Amino acid sequence: HPLVYFWLLPAYVSWYAMLPAQTEGKMFSEPLARLVFWLFLLLSTPVGFHHQYTDPGIPQAWKFVHATITYSLAFPSLLTAFTVVASLEVGARVRGGKGYFGWIRRLNWGNPSFTAQNLAMILFAFGDISGITNASYNLNLAVHNTMWVPGHFHLTLGSAVTLTFMGIAYWLVPKLTGRNLFAPWLALAQAWTWFVGMLLMSNALHLLGLHTGAPRRSMLGSAPYATPEWNPYLMESAAGVLVLTVSGILFFVVIIGTLFNRKLTVPVR
């Protein structure tokens, strides 16, 4: 789990710093942001036993400590959700957004870097919810070492981290090369297809583990103990993987196209 946050914290930095700037906003509360990063440093570094509640050799007291720490991590995550969303609302209202939810339409959805990172945050919210399930000793018994767990970390690493890094690349590569982003509409399509593909795949993996108990670390399509009950979820997961594959190809097309783009104008923020 410390390794997870080694990847995740740079994404958090971008959500706090880059996203408000890309929608003409500003950070809603800098003290809250500082508090969040201190809490992550204190709480995320030692945590990890919530995936090992049924493993032998780990004292019950340590399992209790890690359950408590894991639940506590929900607090900085909620603070992040509040602070970042409030920061985006400030910018959206500067751009003419009105009403309780109408401001969402005024966010900078036409910017592939912004859209990719915003969609990554939405997927991460679902990952946090399944993470709370992992933290509960009783609920964890139902999903321990099942396909629920890959469903969970594909929403954290495969979405919050990967899609955010893709969004950062859509800003950083043009910034470093001085070349315009190649086919911004294609980059937008890439962000949305990754979002849809990950929703399909992670939803299928969660349900596969929860409803059928299908184990992780196994070849699900050829396992001798596979049952017909697995098939609908496997088909949904395969559909998600197909969409993700197309999305991954689109990402490399955009980045390579940017590197060879002849337009050398200053990239849009």
Side-chain angles (χ1 to χ4, degrees), residues 53 66-75 132-133 135-137 139:
Y53 284 149
H66 280 249
T68 303
I69 295 175
T70 307
Y71 276 124
S72 300
L73 276 170
F75 182 62
I132 293 175
T133 301
S136 167
Y137 185 84
L139 294 178

Side-chain angles (χ1 to χ4, degrees), residues 169-184 186-187 250-265 267:
Y170 290 149
W171 168 83
L172 184 61
V173 173
K175 193 75 172 177
L176 293 177
T177 62
R179 302 174 186 272
N180 275 355
L181 183 68
F182 175 76
L186 202 60
L250 291 180
F251 173 74
F252 285 104
V253 168
V254 172
I255 295 300
I256 294 174
T258 301
L259 294 176
F260 292 96
N261 197 345
R262 294 184 178 180
K263 295 183 179 180
L264 302 178
T265 56

Side-chain angles (χ1 to χ4, degrees), residues 13-163:
V13 170
S14 183
W15 296 347
Y16 275 101
M18 185 180 292
L19 286 186
Q22 288 177 331
T23 194
E24 329 307 334
K26 61 180 181 179
M27 189 180 298
F28 179 77
S29 174
E30 190 168 315
L32 275 181
R34 295 177 186 275
L35 174 62
V36 164
F37 281 92
W38 276 110
L39 288 175
F40 276 137
L41 179 64
L42 295 173
L43 298 174
S44 67
T45 301
V47 78
F49 286 171
H50 54 247
H51 291 303
Q52 298 174 276
Y53 284 149
T54 65
D55 290 358
I58 301 175
Q60 293 293 328
W62 272 115
K63 294 177 182 180
F64 174 78
V65 169
H66 280 249
T68 303
I69 295 175
T70 307
Y71 276 124
S72 300
L73 276 170
F75 182 62
S77 294
L78 291 173
L79 286 179
T80 294
F82 171 78
T83 306
V84 174
V85 172
S87 302
L88 296 182
E89 183 179 354
V90 170
R93 294 193 182 280
V94 170
R95 295 164 62 92
K98 304 291 184 182
Y100 287 113
F101 300 104
W103 59 269
I104 296 175
R105 296 195 302 269
R106 302 299 299 176
L107 292 171
N108 198 4
W109 294 108
N111 185 330
S113 176
F114 172 86
T115 298
Q117 295 184 73
N118 208 357
L119 294 177
M121 288 194 301
I122 295 173
L123 289 172
F124 185 59
F126 293 106
D128 269 349
I129 294 171
S130 61
I132 293 175
T133 301
N134 294 338
S136 167
Y137 185 84
N138 292 337
L139 294 178
N140 187 277
L141 293 177
V143 298
H144 179 76
N145 270 340
T146 69
M147 291 306 294
W148 171 284
V149 178
H152 162 68
F153 63 65
H154 273 87
L155 289 176
T156 52
L157 294 182
S159 300
V161 172
T162 304
L163 190 52

